[in-house]
Amino acid sequence: MIRATCAAVPFLFLLLSLAAPGVTAETGKITKEAPADAEAPKYSKQPPLVGAYYFNWYDIEQQWRRYPRAHDPKLGEYDLAKGDTIIDQHHAWAKEAGIDFFAMLWTGAGSQLVQWARADELDSRVADHLAVKDGVKTALVYNLRDVVSTSHHGAIDLSDKDNCQIFHEHITYAARTHFTHDNYVKINGSPVLVLHTMRDYVNYKECLRLTFEQVEEDIGTYPYIIGDAVWWSPGSDKMPWNDYKHVNVSAITAFNLVDHSQPSKMGPSFAWYGSQLYHDVIKGALPAGIQVVPMVMPGYDDTKLRGASQTEIPRAGGAEFVHQWKQMLWFVKCQPLVQGAFNRAKPLIGQFSKKRGGMTKHQTIVMVNSFNEWHEGTEIEPSTEFGTQFLGLLSALKAEIPNEQLSCGKEKDAKFKAAKYDVPRWLLKGEATPTDRVFLAALHPFLWLFVVALIWV
């Protein structure tokens, strides 16, 4: 009988939702079905956190000499191990550009199963950044792939005892040494951790759950997990949303969407196809309570590194960066609006939710790839070719967000269709009109009688 009652709750909420006066929020537009004098839903006014991927490997193992690049840094071939001058300059530039945190590629430390001098050096440089006064904050992008064995398909199997032990020891080490630092970026008190190529993790639920529960025990909070899980395949309907919820993934993103096997989606069309991919993914992310974190790039050019046959995404004098930024504005302005409606609905069925700590509280985030990945030509760090152009562009684009006008829409897909989210207005705005209150008051006795009937039966 209890099971029948629990199963009925989502149905009751559906009745409530469909019957109540509301709006239809879609990634095409938001249409108002309320009376003409009703106030329309407002955009999110909260500015996004802007993170930029940062690489500490200069000049470990002669990085500059071994790997060709498309452009040359204004600071020359610097070595981050020699003094704080370069690091301080990077933080100063980042603040000027409106960057809130550096997301640093990190291959772990603190595990006896991994003995790698390069990983230890990268870890020490994270500590150097955390020590910068009046700089931007720091987050880790954990790259497990570089320190464990993978299958011939590239899968990272965390049911393997050694792989799981490495993951566990690395993350608990990060919690003890980095997560609690004042300059480590946190969302609602939870340290941000990006799991690089999480889309390739398999058999990971138990390992990740136990690891993050240990982190919570050690530092008193569960991390804010961002999974690098967005890719061209599989589609949103085949992504493992239940597995993500099991380990309390808070958000998903794409570290990099460049795929040379799909040249038609690269080049000048990249911004549009990338936007379509994010909008496909959000159809599964919203009901799961997971935020989509878009990624933008100024361009991409690894032809010096991997050969002239590789597809280049031209910078087009800055137009590519602006185009990608404009395409992601829906996620900054409208995603919080629609996600907020879903979150306000959760208390109606929240008592049956297993998600740790209840609803996830999100902070809108935009990732820039990258601050200084010179070998793939995605850097916005000042160069001899472009000067500070892209730092200035980023600053101007972020400052313009409050003034941006859009219909909470997206360009249509190949079939000229856009996903729709039917959301009651009283959830979307977080308040009920007098009509809503009368309707809900009249509906409550019926719903209680319906529940009693289910229990009786």
Side-chain angles (χ1 to χ4, degrees):
M1 287 188 290
I2 293 175
R3 191 180 307 166
T5 304
C6 294
V9 173
F11 172 71
L12 299 182
F13 170 65
L14 180 61
L15 284 177
L16 211 63
S17 301
L18 293 176
V23 301
T24 300
E26 59 172 291
T27 52
K29 61 181 179 178
I30 291 184
T31 58
K32 185 169 63 173
E33 297 173 352
D37 60 346
E39 183 182 359
K42 290 181 170 58
Y43 299 132
S44 170
K45 294 182 178 180
Q46 187 177 30
L49 282 179
V50 174
Y53 292 116
Y54 187 97
F55 297 82
N56 276 311
W57 54 36
Y58 306 105
D59 192 29
I60 300 174
E61 299 173 353
Q62 297 183 312
Q63 184 84 19
W64 292 113
R65 184 182 63 81
R66 292 173 61 194
Y67 302 103
R69 59 188 182 274
H71 313 122
D72 293 312
K74 182 178 180 180
L75 295 176
E77 295 182 349
Y78 52 79
D79 188 341
L80 292 172
K82 295 180 179 179
D84 300 328
T85 305
I86 301 297
I87 290 178
D88 288 344
Q89 180 63 77
H90 283 173
H91 281 257
W93 276 333
K95 290 189 74 172
E96 291 173 9
I99 294 170
D100 297 290
F101 67 97
F102 283 143
M104 300 183 176
L105 268 288
W106 183 73
T107 46
S111 175
Q112 294 301 313
L113 294 180
V114 179
Q115 303 293 329
W116 190 21
R118 182 182 176 107
D120 293 337
E121 179 67 19
L122 290 175
D123 181 64
S124 71
R125 294 185 182 184
V126 170
D128 292 340
H129 284 275
L130 288 170
V132 174
K133 295 180 179 180
D134 300 322
V136 300
K137 293 190 180 295
T138 294
L140 295 181
V141 182
Y142 179 45
N143 183 9
L144 180 61
R145 172 178 298 283
D146 278 0
V147 294
V148 299
S149 58
T150 60
S151 73
H152 66 285
H153 294 297
I156 303 170
D157 189 351
L158 282 162
S159 66
D160 178 273
K161 182 179 178 181
D162 286 348
N163 288 353
C164 183
Q165 182 177 340
I166 291 169
F167 183 93
H168 183 90
E169 291 177 347
H170 281 174
I171 299 303
T172 53
Y173 168 88
R176 294 190 307 271
T177 59
H178 301 318
F179 287 176
T180 58
H181 198 286
D182 289 344
N183 287 335
Y184 195 95
V185 67
K186 300 174 183 70
I187 294 177
N188 299 308
S190 296
V192 173
L193 174 66
V194 182
L195 297 180
H196 186 256
T197 63
M198 187 184 182
R199 65 179 182 270
D200 293 329
Y201 286 16
V202 296
N203 304 317
Y204 58 83
K205 290 195 299 182
E206 190 67 11
C207 180
L208 267 62
R209 182 181 64 82
L210 291 174
T211 298
F212 294 133
E213 286 178 354
Q214 183 64 54
V215 169
E216 184 177 35
E217 182 177 332
D218 290 345
I219 66 172
T221 186
Y222 207 89
Y224 188 93
I225 304 163
I226 303 177
D228 171 19
V230 177
W231 190 243
W232 302 102
S233 63
S236 177
D237 58 331
K238 292 186 171 61
M239 292 178 70
W241 299 111
N242 287 334
D243 291 353
Y244 294 158
K245 289 195 292 182
H246 182 85
V247 297
N248 294 293
V249 169
S250 295
I252 57 172
T253 190
F255 176 79
N256 189 341
L257 285 175
V258 173
D259 183 1
H260 291 304
S261 69
Q262 302 189 80
S264 64
K265 294 181 179 179
M266 304 298 110
S269 302
F270 179 78
W272 189 84
Y273 280 109
S275 172
Q276 295 303 300
L277 177 59
Y278 283 119
H279 280 285
D280 176 62
V281 168
I282 203 169
K283 289 184 289 186
L286 278 173
I290 294 174
Q291 184 187 11
V292 174
V293 175
M295 176 274 301
V296 296
M297 300 191 303
Y300 187 94
D301 184 0
D302 66 349
T303 54
K304 296 285 183 66
L305 178 66
R306 299 185 176 101
S309 62
Q310 302 300 312
T311 303
E312 179 187 355
I313 300 172
R315 296 196 175 210
E320 176 64 28
F321 192 57
V322 173
H323 190 193
Q324 290 186 34
W325 184 274
K326 296 290 185 179
Q327 290 284 358
M328 69 82 199
L329 281 175
W330 188 93
F331 296 91
V332 173
K333 306 279 280 189
C334 303
Q335 180 177 209
L337 187 82
V338 182
Q339 187 69 66
F342 275 88
N343 285 346
R344 282 187 283 274
K346 286 180 181 179
L348 295 176
I349 55 175
Q351 59 184 311
F352 306 108
S353 172
K354 295 182 180 179
K355 188 169 181 67
R356 176 176 299 274
M359 294 180 293
T360 299
K361 294 182 179 179
H362 294 301
Q363 161 74 56
T364 305
I365 304 171
V366 178
M367 296 304 301
V368 176
N369 189 348
S370 63
F371 184 82
N372 64 339
E373 218 300 15
W374 290 92
H375 310 300
E376 293 182 343
T378 62
E379 79 291 331
I380 63 170
E381 179 186 351
S383 64
T384 58
E385 291 82 1
F386 304 108
T388 60
Q389 175 188 1
F390 288 92
L391 296 181
L393 263 181
L394 177 57
S395 176
L397 289 167
K398 184 180 179 182
E400 187 62 22
I401 284 178
N403 302 321
E404 292 281 6
Q405 299 295 319
L406 72 162
S407 60
C408 281
K410 81 179 186 80
E411 298 178 66
K412 306 302 183 183
D413 61 18
K415 297 181 180 179
F416 293 93
K417 293 181 180 179
K420 295 182 179 180
Y421 310 103
D422 295 315
V423 183
R425 184 185 64 253
W426 57 275
L427 287 176
L428 193 64
K429 295 179 62 180
E431 59 187 31
T433 66
T435 304
D436 293 335
R437 285 192 287 271
V438 171
F439 173 82
L440 294 173
L443 190 60
H444 281 164
F446 167 76
L447 296 179
W448 278 114
L449 288 173
F450 188 76
V451 170
V452 170
L454 283 175
I455 295 175
W456 185 262
V457 173

